[in-house]
């Protein structure tokens, strides 16, 4: 066969070398794409929040020795795998977990995003963000890192990421913890984070509000009746509140932000304290010592066990103490259920409500423990099931205490009737004691009812009480054909006071404004003053028409201007805007009348604030 001409051979070898050179240039890109295809999280213009679980890939680094370079090599080798079953709760695990996600901001105007891990008890979280130019940004979090290191002061670990438009970013997250390995991650804009945390904080606030209300209500009963059941109920409620405060991350945020030791130890210690309170309360409430001595000894043994475990938790490793305490909780609650059933079978009526209460608590606690051990997925009901169950349990136990007290009262009355002829004097004395207790109970109810009608910050009537009272005043004005005026008051630029001096000064300023307005309204004894919400107040003036009400509004503004608010070294001038509406003869409802006064208020704000405007459009 003839050899090809020299110029043909030269072209052939030139093409081969060019191909090898181009292949060498393309080799790194090909290597990065090796292994299974990895999904990319794309941030579009309307994206505000992304759950990373579907796109996350993970590697379990059992020796916990790998660094970012090692994790990058594992990515190139295709070792990162999807989360098993899409679950973010993996139970108690040794070693470290590396998570990977690629994020690209396509056309979203937001370049600052917040990466949030929705679990408070992880020990150490390292976040590496690798940009397209090779830069790597590093942040650390978890409850083994001081709380002040967090990007946002929030109970869950969070990290501020910069995601430039059109640039792919690789996010590597390393999680190592002796607690349950829970990996719920989401990416949010700052506004979406504010919206989400507002709703969650409302739920948590409502829960602790219920606990506080029950605490003070039953404390009043205990101080009145001196019944040991109420005392141990208060111990149980306080200890369990500490458990939830710890599990929700609020303890690390507010009580021990610089103590990793307490962050680890308070979980098993608070659980043990709560179980001691539970068992002792059950013993006293069910009367196990008198009705079932064997059950009483079992309860005492459990109390001793939790006391020893609580002491041992100060030095036992977290990975041993916490799972042991969690498993023992299920045994403890199950035993209380068994004791309750035994008392129901023996005919003790209050044990029925007691059993129902513990069923709610057992369900909620079971959901929480199942998530901790990775047996159930993490969602709203499993994450907050223990709060829901415990709130129902606390309410039912409070009802059960009342029922128990009522049964004791009936029993005492029956004994008094049987012994009337022989012990008439003692029966009368006992009856007097019971009447005194009932009066004290009614006083406690009255105090609780009054406190529910008052705004906790300013001491004024709250919005709910205002609507009830305003409805009554409105009916009286129409029946007697008397004028009635409504004032809506807003403190000007109050947000700037909070931003400049802090919320504590802002709260003190609200209390000062409430006192100043109340002092100015003293000549009008029938006036109703209430806090409407935020920095807004509302006043109802029976018997005053539009002209008279406008003069009162001007007087209120003058009182605010005359005496600036003082707090320590600060002297702050506070002004207000007031909208005035006079109630006519037409039968409007409450909400339309409030809206008319509110429109006048907005007119005052639009006209420069620090002025009074009426619903008739008059400039005062």
């Amino acid at each position: 066969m003839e050899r090809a001409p020299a110029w043909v051979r030269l072209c052939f070898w030139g093409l081969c070398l060019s191909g090898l050179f181009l292949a060498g240039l393309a080799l790194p890109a090909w290597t990065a794409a090796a292994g299974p295809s990895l999904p990319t999280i794309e941030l579009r213009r309307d994206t505000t929040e992304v759950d990373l679980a579907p796109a996350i890939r993970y590697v379990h680094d059992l020796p916990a020795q790998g660094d970012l370079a090692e994790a990058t090599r594992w990515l190139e080798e295709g070792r990162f795998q999807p989360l098993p079953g899409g679950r973010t709760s993996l139970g108690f695990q040794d070693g470290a977990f590396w998570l990977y996600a690629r994020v690209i901001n396509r056309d979203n105007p937001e370049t600052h995003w917040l990466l949030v891990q929705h679990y408070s008890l992880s020990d150490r979280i390292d976040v590496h963000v690798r940009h397209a130019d090779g830069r790597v940004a590093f942040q650390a979090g978890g409850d083994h890192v001081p709380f002040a290191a967090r990007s946002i002061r929030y109970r869950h670990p969070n990290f501020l990421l910069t995601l430039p438009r059109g640039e792919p970013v690789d996010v590597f997250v390393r999680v190592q913890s002796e607690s349950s390995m829970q990996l719920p991650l989401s990416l949010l804009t700052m506004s979406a984070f504010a919206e989400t945390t507002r709703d969650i904080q409302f739920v948590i606030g409502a829960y602790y509000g219920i606990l506080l209300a029950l605490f003070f209500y039953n404390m009043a009963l205990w101080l009145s009746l001196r019944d040991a059941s109420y005392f141990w109920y208060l111990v149980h409620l306080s200890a369990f509140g500490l458990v939830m405060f710890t599990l929700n991350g609020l303890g690390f945020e507010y009580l021990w932000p610089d103590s990793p030791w307490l962050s680890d130890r308070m979980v098993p210690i608070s659980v043990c304290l709560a179980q001691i309170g539970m068992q002792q309360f059950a013993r006293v409430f069910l009367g196990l010592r008198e009705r079932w001595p064997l059950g009483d000894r079992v309860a005492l043994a459990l109390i001793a066990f939790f006391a020893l475990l609580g002491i041992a938790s100060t030095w036992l490793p977290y990975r041993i103490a916490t799972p042991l305490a969690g498993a023992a909780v299920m045994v403890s609650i199950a035993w209380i259920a068994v004791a309750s059933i035994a008392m129901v079978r023996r005919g003790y009526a209050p044990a029925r409500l007691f059993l129902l209460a513990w069923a709610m608590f057992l369900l909620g606690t079971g959901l929480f423990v199942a998530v901790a051990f990775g047996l159930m997925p993490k969602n709203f009901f499993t994450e907050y099931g223990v709060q829901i169950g415990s709130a129902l349990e606390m309410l039912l136990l409070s009802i059960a205490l009342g029922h128990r007290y009522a049964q004791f009262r009936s029993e005492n009355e029956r004994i008094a009737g049987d012994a009337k002829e022989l012990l008439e004097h003692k029966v009368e004395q006992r009856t007097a004691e019971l009447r005194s207790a009932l009066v004290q109970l009614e006083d406690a109810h009255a105090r609780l009812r009054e406190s529910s009608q008052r705004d906790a910050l300013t001491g004024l009537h709250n919005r709910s009480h205002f609507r009830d009272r305003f409805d009554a005043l409105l009916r009286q004005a129409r029946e007697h054909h008397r004028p009635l005026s409504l004032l809506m008051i807003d403190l000007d630029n109050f947000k700037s006071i909070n931003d400049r001096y802090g919320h504590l000064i802002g709260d003190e300023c609200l209390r000062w404004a409430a006192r100043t307005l109340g002092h100015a309204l003293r000549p009008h004894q029938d006036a109703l003053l209430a806090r409407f919400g935020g920095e807004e107040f509302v006043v109802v003036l029976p018997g005053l028409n539009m002209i008279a009400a406008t003069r009162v509004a001007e007087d209120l503004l003058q009182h605010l201007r005359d005496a600036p608010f003082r707090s320590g070294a600060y002297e702050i001038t506070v002004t207000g805007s007031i909208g005035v509406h006079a109630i006519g003869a037409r039968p409007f409802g409450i909400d339309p009348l409030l809206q008319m006064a509110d429109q006048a208020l907005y007119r005052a704000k639009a006209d420069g604030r620090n002025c009074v405007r009426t619903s008739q459009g008059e400039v005062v």
Side-chain angles (χ1 to χ4, degrees):
M1 186 172 70
E2 292 186 8
R3 293 184 62 188
W7 65 272
V8 174
R9 294 197 303 273
L10 183 63
C11 290
F12 173 77
W13 288 111
L15 289 172
C16 290
L17 291 173
S18 299
L20 289 173
F21 176 73
L22 292 174
L25 291 177
L27 184 59
W30 177 86
T31 303
S37 60
L38 298 171
T40 299
I41 300 167
E42 297 187 355
L43 305 178
R44 297 295 183 180
R45 178 173 294 274
D46 57 347
T47 304
T48 59
E49 180 177 356
V50 180
D51 179 13
L52 302 188
I56 279 180
R57 297 298 181 262
Y58 86 101
V59 166
H60 188 184
D61 178 15
L62 193 58
Q65 299 294 327
D67 55 8
L68 179 60
E70 190 79 3
T72 303
R73 183 174 63 81
W74 292 337
L75 179 66
E76 294 172 356
E77 294 173 355
R79 290 179 56 184
F80 278 80
Q81 300 296 325
L83 291 171
R87 292 184 296 108
T88 58
S89 297
L90 304 180
F92 291 88
Q93 300 278 355
D94 293 328
F97 278 73
W98 280 90
L99 312 176
Y100 169 80
R102 168 163 284 196
V103 183
I104 182 168
N105 185 349
R106 291 294 184 192
D107 52 3
N108 197 299
E110 292 286 344
T111 58
H112 296 293
W113 293 70
L114 204 63
L115 178 67
V116 181
Q117 189 210 22
H118 301 281
Y119 181 62
S120 306
L121 304 181
S122 293
D123 293 344
R124 175 81 184 198
I125 308 163
D126 295 330
V127 177
H128 307 265
V129 180
R130 187 173 63 190
H131 294 269
D133 59 3
R135 290 183 299 109
V136 176
F138 171 77
Q139 298 179 64
D143 61 13
H144 280 196
V145 177
F147 188 84
R150 298 188 178 183
S151 299
I152 302 293
R153 291 186 59 84
Y154 183 58
R155 61 194 183 90
H156 286 159
N158 56 86
F159 311 89
L160 188 61
L161 308 185
T162 300
L163 304 176
R165 297 177 65 177
E167 177 184 315
V169 173
D170 293 326
V171 180
F172 291 85
V173 180
R174 181 183 183 274
V175 183
Q176 184 174 4
S177 180
E178 292 185 347
S179 178
S180 173
M181 187 60 66
Q182 300 193 32
L183 311 171
L185 295 172
S186 62
L187 202 59
L188 308 94
T189 63
M190 301 304 291
S191 59
F193 174 76
E195 288 278 335
T196 302
T197 53
R198 180 196 64 183
D199 297 338
I200 294 175
Q201 295 295 82
F202 172 78
V203 173
I204 294 176
Y207 173 75
Y208 287 111
I210 291 173
L211 293 192
L212 283 174
L214 289 173
F215 179 86
F216 288 112
Y217 171 70
N218 285 280
M219 176 179 281
L221 293 179
W222 174 62
L223 292 174
S224 301
L225 305 177
R226 296 297 179 179
D227 186 339
S229 295
Y230 287 98
F231 173 79
W232 290 111
Y233 176 78
L234 292 174
V235 172
H236 159 54
L237 190 150
S238 303
F240 193 79
L242 179 61
V243 172
M244 298 314 304
F245 210 69
T246 303
L247 295 180
N248 289 331
L250 298 173
F252 185 53
E253 181 175 358
Y254 293 108
L255 301 181
W256 48 83
D258 299 314
S259 177
W261 186 88
L262 277 177
S263 297
D264 280 349
R265 300 294 183 258
M266 282 308 296
V267 174
I269 290 175
S270 61
V271 167
C272 291
L273 288 174
Q275 293 307 308
I276 291 171
M278 287 181 187
Q279 291 293 335
Q280 183 63 18
F281 172 66
R283 287 183 63 240
V284 175
F285 184 91
L286 297 174
L288 294 182
R289 181 184 297 176
E290 300 80 15
R291 295 184 176 88
W292 191 21
L294 176 60
D296 185 65
R297 288 193 290 271
V298 173
L300 287 173
L302 286 171
I303 291 172
F305 169 79
F306 280 110
L308 292 174
L309 180 58
I311 296 171
S313 297
T314 59
W315 54 267
L316 276 177
Y318 183 92
R319 65 179 180 275
I320 296 176
T322 300
L324 181 59
V329 164
M330 302 305 294
V331 175
S332 174
I333 299 174
W335 166 249
I336 292 176
V338 169
S340 303
I341 294 172
M343 292 302 101
V344 170
R345 292 173 61 88
R346 292 169 187 248
Y348 184 49
R352 295 190 181 93
L353 269 176
F354 189 85
L355 179 60
L356 179 60
W358 285 110
M360 297 295 101
F361 183 71
L362 180 61
L363 178 61
T365 305
L367 291 174
F368 182 82
V369 174
V371 171
F373 283 94
L375 303 178
M376 293 187 68
K378 188 170 186 175
N379 54 46
F380 177 83
F381 291 103
T382 56
E383 182 177 4
Y384 295 102
V386 66
Q387 282 96 328
I388 296 171
S390 62
L392 292 174
E393 177 245 357
M394 301 293 183
L395 288 170
L396 289 172
L397 285 182
S398 186
I399 296 172
L401 281 169
H403 181 66
R404 177 177 177 270
Y405 175 74
Q407 187 183 50
F408 282 171
R409 184 182 62 184
S410 299
E411 184 178 353
N412 287 335
E413 291 174 352
R414 179 184 59 80
I415 294 173
D418 293 340
K420 184 176 181 180
E421 294 181 359
L422 298 176
L423 302 171
E424 183 175 358
H425 177 70
K426 290 185 178 181
V427 168
E428 291 176 354
Q429 183 180 4
R430 183 63 174 171
T431 303
E433 292 174 356
L434 286 173
R435 287 175 181 171
S436 175
L438 288 175
V439 169
Q440 293 172 359
L441 184 61
E442 290 173 359
D443 289 342
H445 278 290
R447 290 193 297 271
L448 185 62
R449 185 166 56 251
E450 174 63 20
S451 66
S452 69
Q453 297 174 352
R454 293 283 178 179
D455 174 58
L457 179 62
T458 63
L460 299 178
H461 288 296
N462 57 26
R463 187 170 181 170
S464 174
H465 177 73
F466 163 77
R467 293 181 68 91
D468 294 339
R469 185 73 184 121
F470 181 39
D471 186 48
L473 291 173
L474 192 60
R475 287 197 305 270
Q476 292 176 7
R478 287 169 179 163
E479 289 173 1
H480 298 90
H481 304 287
R482 297 180 61 203
L484 184 73
S485 296
L486 182 64
L487 276 60
M488 292 289 288
I489 307 169
D490 183 78
L491 301 183
D492 295 333
N493 301 313
F494 188 79
K495 184 177 183 299
S496 64
I497 296 177
N498 278 333
D499 293 342
R500 182 175 180 181
Y501 301 99
H503 286 83
L504 293 179
I505 297 295
D507 291 347
E508 189 177 351
C509 183
L510 283 175
R511 288 191 289 268
W512 168 86
R515 291 194 301 270
T516 302
L517 294 174
H519 179 74
L521 289 170
R522 282 182 181 176
H524 309 279
Q525 297 181 355
D526 295 336
L528 172 62
L529 171 63
R531 185 183 180 192
F532 197 70
E535 63 271 18
E536 290 187 344
F537 301 85
V538 61
V539 178
V540 179
L541 297 171
L544 298 187
N545 57 20
M546 178 72 80
I547 296 174
T550 303
R551 286 197 295 267
V552 173
E554 285 289 348
D555 186 55
L556 294 179
L557 288 188
Q558 190 62 41
H559 273 75
L560 288 175
R561 289 191 291 260
D562 286 346
F565 164 64
R566 293 180 176 86
S567 177
Y570 300 120
E571 181 175 307
I572 306 170
T573 299
V574 180
T575 62
S577 302
I578 302 181
V580 183
H581 176 66
I583 311 302
R586 293 183 60 187
F588 283 99
I590 294 177
D591 290 332
L593 297 176
L594 289 171
Q595 186 175 6
M596 292 177 186
D598 201 42
Q599 289 173 353
L601 171 61
Y602 276 95
R603 192 177 299 117
K605 290 183 178 180
D607 290 347
R609 295 185 169 86
N610 193 19
C611 61
V612 178
R613 295 293 181 265
T614 69
S615 59
Q616 297 176 356
E618 298 172 3
V619 177
V620 182

